[in-house]
Amino acid sequence: MANEEQQLPAHVAANREAWDGFAADFVAHGEESWATNEVTWGIYSVPESKWHLLPEELADKDAIELGCGTAYVSGWLAKRGAKPVGIDNSPKQLETAKRLQQEHGIDFPLLLGNAEDVPYPDASFDYAISEYGAAIWCDPYKWIPEAARLLRPGGELMFLGNSVQMMVCTPYEAEGVEEETPVSTTLQRPLFGLHQLKWNDKSTEFHISHGEMIRLLRNSGFEVLDLIELQPSPDDTTSYSWMSMEWARQWPCEEVWKARKR
Ligand SMILES: C[S@@+](CC[C@H](N)C(=O)[O-])C[C@H]1O[C@@H](n2cnc3c(N)ncnc32)[C@H](O)[C@@H]1O
């Protein structure tokens, strides 16, 4: 095992192995997302043209995508004139990202590493973003202070992942429960103490309550700008069988946080 891997926190090493295993399943989505000019977000592909999650002005902004996967979000930022850097923990995901960069003729740094501990000096960036990367796969008590360190005063952070409501209604975790089991309409786990969720495939995901998140952001030097609960339109579609339109129209299945570094 390489030195660098020996030093990874246990959840980061486990998530690297897990994501190298999942990477092949994310190639097609990466290819489609790199190829389109129509930005969409999350599991229901809700359109940017409706939700306006990105800042209006990105030209010349130094941006970092924390847990970039196939890096199509960084590709979108680059097309809007930003200067992105992508960091991801999975060599296999980065292989796809590098191939797609070449195919689309868009070049920016792609780093293999842990978004909880990024090898850039303080105040290197104007904008930090994560769509289902650090947002759910890194320990918030580590990656949120790290994002604050990386941002310049006035810089913005935006991150998107599964909602807290969805996570407390998610049944699978216990041995023997299929991962494709639909999200329940009843509470399946406590909200108090919610932090790490260890899945059967050995990966670890992270979610904390809204109150905890507000305190963490503020204590890390951020001003909270918004918490946007995404509701798909009836004609949006998903390939994820565990999240029905019926559920997602009644409760937020995804949430977006926006914060500004003080
Ligand atoms: C679902 S992908 C997110 C990328 C893309 N937006 C998407 O939705 O496909 C999750 C990514 O988070 C990465 N990841 C997990 N733990 C990480 C960590 N500690 N540091 C950086 N990236 C991490 C995984 O390797 C994976 O590529």
Side-chain angles (χ1 to χ4, degrees):
M1 194 188 280
N3 247 354
E4 191 255 348
E5 281 188 24
Q6 275 168 355
Q7 288 159 10
L8 290 176
H11 68 274
V12 180
N15 283 346
R16 178 170 291 184
E17 197 178 332
W19 270 97
D20 275 348
F22 305 151
D25 296 335
F26 282 76
V27 171
H29 181 248
E31 288 174 345
E32 281 162 29
S33 303
W34 266 92
T36 184
N37 284 321
E38 203 180 311
V39 171
T40 61
W41 301 105
I43 56 178
Y44 267 97
S45 302
V46 301
E48 169 65 13
S49 55
K50 174 176 173 186
W51 290 89
H52 306 290
L53 302 184
L54 289 174
E56 272 177 27
E57 195 44 71
L58 275 164
D60 295 324
K61 301 278 187 210
D62 292 311
I64 183 156
E65 186 182 3
L66 299 163
C68 63
T70 56
Y72 55 84
V73 172
S74 292
W76 294 337
L77 299 182
K79 286 181 194 169
R80 285 168 157 71
K83 295 177 278 178
V85 170
I87 181 166
D88 199 275
N89 184 35
S90 158
K92 292 276 178 210
Q93 287 276 82
L94 289 175
E95 262 174 37
T96 308
K98 284 177 188 157
R99 172 173 67 78
L100 291 169
Q101 265 191 331
Q102 280 169 8
E103 285 177 22
H104 291 271
I106 298 178
D107 192 29
F108 49 81
L110 284 169
L111 273 71
L112 174 63
N114 174 12
E116 298 169 355
D117 183 13
V118 177
Y120 268 83
D122 297 358
S124 293
F125 298 97
D126 306 300
Y127 188 60
I129 187 166
S130 172
E131 185 206 29
Y132 281 99
I136 70 164
W137 295 103
C138 289
D139 188 335
Y141 296 102
K142 298 209 168 99
W143 85 265
I144 300 255
E146 182 66 348
R149 184 188 71 74
L150 291 167
L151 283 169
R152 298 175 181 133
E156 286 194 20
L157 168 67
M158 187 274 255
F159 58 99
L160 184 161
N162 313 109
S163 72
V164 166
Q165 291 92 334
M166 178 189 143
M167 296 320 297
V168 292
C169 291
T170 294
Y172 59 84
E173 187 182 16
E175 280 299 323
V177 179
E178 288 295 322
E179 298 223 348
E180 296 305 311
T181 304
V183 173
S184 173
T185 55
T186 58
L187 298 173
Q188 302 290 311
R189 73 186 75 251
L191 178 63
F192 290 120
L194 188 69
H195 180 212
Q196 289 196 26
L197 294 111
K198 290 186 184 290
W199 304 125
N200 292 337
D201 59 18
K202 311 282 186 245
S203 64
T204 303
E205 215 177 297
F206 294 87
H207 297 272
I208 58 176
S209 73
H210 289 165
E212 278 288 311
M213 184 59 86
I214 289 168
R215 268 186 301 282
L216 174 58
L217 286 164
R218 291 181 55 78
N219 290 340
S220 304
F222 285 107
E223 174 192 350
V224 177
L225 298 178
D226 211 345
L227 166 57
I228 302 159
E229 292 148 333
L230 296 179
Q231 183 191 36
S233 300
D235 51 353
D236 290 332
T237 55
T238 187
S239 55
Y240 293 95
S241 57
W242 39 264
M243 178 43 68
S244 68
M245 179 60 85
E246 198 190 352
W247 202 106
R249 291 287 297 164
Q250 294 183 78
W251 301 280
C253 64
E254 297 178 296
E255 61 189 41
V256 184
W257 288 86
K258 289 188 181 184
R260 183 185 295 126
K261 170 84 180 287
R262 285 194 293 266

